[in-house]
Amino acid sequence: MAKRALITGIAGQDGSYLAELLLEKGYEVFGIIPRRSTPETQTMRIEHLGSQLNLEYGDVLDLASIYRVMKNVGPDEVYHLAAQSHVQVSFYEPMHTTSVVALGTLNMLEATAEFTPNARFYHAASSEMFGNTPDYPINEDSRMVPVSPYAAAKLNAYHLTQVYRVSKQLFAVNGILFNHESPRRGLNFVTAKVVRGALAIKHGEAQTLELGNLDASRDWGHARDYVEAMWLMLQHHEPDDYVVATGREVTVREMVRYVFERIGLGDYQQYVRLNPRYIRPYELVHLQGRAEKAERVLGWKPRYTFEGLMDEMIIEIGARFWPGR
């Protein structure tokens, strides 16, 4: 009998890749999506999967709806990915972000403990929890000093997951994922923004690209690699928390330079303008992870290089917005 997996945030970048992976492995895949006025846009990343998915309306802030879905589906594995995940937006909407990230996780943990206590539970934690930690490069033992409402909310959810692991004996894990991107990344995130902005300039639809701190650096991987790590965490014989990262740090400036040169525009400085609006009120300078534990215990390693990731984004985002050109 096929395993049943339930994914919150199934229509997002990670949810769509995870759904593909689980279907390939023979799972029966269920997803929770909130009801919105424009359903065609909220499910565009998963529409190619069609009837292979079982979608349920629900909201992580509506405990009654989560109870209903959990009771009806009876999942073997729960992947909790739903969040307001844009860091800059969390400064503008701190209460909403905290509610969705922290309370939403609590609701999912409570529903799992109540209706499917034997299910394995994955929580999508975040490298943002480490903030400007003095412990570097970062692993599972590094101190966490969050510098945004999003990061603080994720830290709350991270600890709640650990609490339920001990107090309710749930098989509950935290995947502490560093930045991971793909052609399915939302266009308000910097990698997709840079790629689409550079291509718009190349095709004569824009003259400049406005960005924030070019010297911020991140450990960027591919979402396709990272969802495999999520799955591996729930296949291990005991629950634990894992950093997932490539171990390589790249600045926004280096990323911008690579993209502009790769598509033949040359020196990015001719086109990029700095806009203070995109500077965070409390800047996170750099993030670099060490995934030695995930490699040793789970046998996970990233397959994509940074250059391979950016090349794929250039090709697929270009094909989406400028087909045939």
Side-chain angles (χ1 to χ4, degrees), residues 165-176:
R165 183 163 68 210
V166 176
S167 65
K168 299 291 181 77
Q169 288 82 52
L170 282 185
F171 190 108
V173 308
N174 283 296
I176 310 170

Side-chain angles (χ1 to χ4, degrees), residues 3-304:
K3 283 186 178 181
R4 287 189 164 197
L6 176 64
I7 306 172
T8 70
I10 192 171
Q13 170 190 254
D14 292 6
S16 65
Y17 282 114
L18 179 61
E20 289 175 350
L21 175 70
L22 295 176
L23 287 170
E24 289 170 6
K25 293 183 178 297
Y27 281 68
E28 192 174 359
V29 178
F30 294 78
I32 297 177
I33 58 171
R35 183 177 288 277
R36 296 287 185 264
S37 59
T38 53
E40 67 279 359
T41 58
Q42 77 177 84
T43 58
M44 54 189 261
R45 293 184 183 91
I46 54 174
E47 62 185 6
H48 65 289
L49 298 175
S51 60
Q52 296 179 82
L53 298 179
N54 304 280
L55 300 180
E56 301 273 352
Y57 284 117
D59 192 304
V60 296
L61 291 178
D62 182 349
L63 187 56
S65 71
I66 298 304
Y67 271 16
R68 172 182 52 78
V69 173
M70 195 70 70
K71 184 178 180 181
N72 291 342
V73 173
D76 301 290
E77 296 175 5
V78 178
Y79 295 87
H80 176 44
L81 313 182
Q84 189 301 100
S85 60
H86 196 285
V87 176
Q88 185 78 6
V89 170
S90 78
F91 285 101
Y92 305 141
E93 300 180 355
M95 294 181 68
H96 172 71
T97 299
T98 301
S99 295
V100 173
V101 172
L103 181 57
T105 300
L106 179 60
N107 285 343
M108 289 301 301
L109 286 163
E110 189 62 29
T112 302
E114 179 71 20
F115 293 102
T116 57
N118 294 321
R120 298 190 168 198
F121 183 95
Y122 172 87
H123 167 242
S126 170
S127 61
E128 291 280 335
M129 299 185 305
F130 293 105
N132 292 318
T133 181
D135 305 327
Y136 218 75
I138 297 165
N139 62 22
E140 293 81 3
D141 297 321
S142 298
R143 282 168 285 184
M144 297 178 179
V145 283
V147 297
S148 69
Y150 168 75
K154 276 294 183 184
L155 184 56
N156 184 324
Y158 166 84
H159 285 305
L160 283 169
T161 300
Q162 293 179 326
V163 167
Y164 271 69
R165 183 163 68 210
V166 176
S167 65
K168 299 291 181 77
Q169 288 82 52
L170 282 185
F171 190 108
V173 308
N174 283 296
I176 310 170
L177 275 55
F178 280 62
N179 293 65
H180 47 289
E181 316 296 319
S182 76
R184 300 178 191 176
R185 189 51 136 162
L187 296 176
N188 56 341
F189 289 84
V190 67
T191 47
K193 180 180 179 181
V194 167
V195 170
R196 190 182 188 284
L199 288 169
I201 293 171
K202 179 180 176 66
H203 292 295
E205 296 182 8
Q207 294 182 323
T208 60
L209 172 62
E210 293 188 346
L211 296 172
N213 182 10
L214 296 181
D215 295 316
S217 61
R218 297 291 184 269
D219 185 328
W220 273 305
H222 197 301
R224 186 178 280 114
D225 282 343
Y226 286 33
V227 299
E228 182 181 16
M230 298 177 189
W231 177 76
L232 286 170
M233 290 178 208
L234 294 195
Q235 310 318 304
H236 195 54
H237 58 83
E238 61 183 26
D240 207 343
D241 305 324
Y242 298 90
V243 161
V244 179
T246 71
R248 177 182 174 188
E249 197 170 1
V250 179
T251 67
V252 175
R253 188 183 305 277
E254 291 168 330
M255 184 258 291
V256 171
R257 181 182 295 115
Y258 181 84
V259 171
F260 274 76
E261 291 179 354
R262 191 67 169 167
I263 66 175
L265 285 176
D267 186 3
Y268 73 92
Q269 295 180 83
Q270 299 178 55
Y271 310 100
V272 172
R273 303 290 180 266
L274 300 184
N275 187 335
R277 177 169 174 256
Y278 300 121
I279 302 291
R280 296 185 188 179
Y282 190 171
E283 189 64 53
L284 199 168
V285 180
H286 61 156
L287 284 172
Q288 181 184 4
R290 295 181 65 179
E292 293 173 352
K293 180 178 176 181
E295 293 179 12
R296 183 182 71 255
V297 177
L298 305 177
W300 177 86
K301 283 189 177 181
R303 291 187 294 266
Y304 276 82

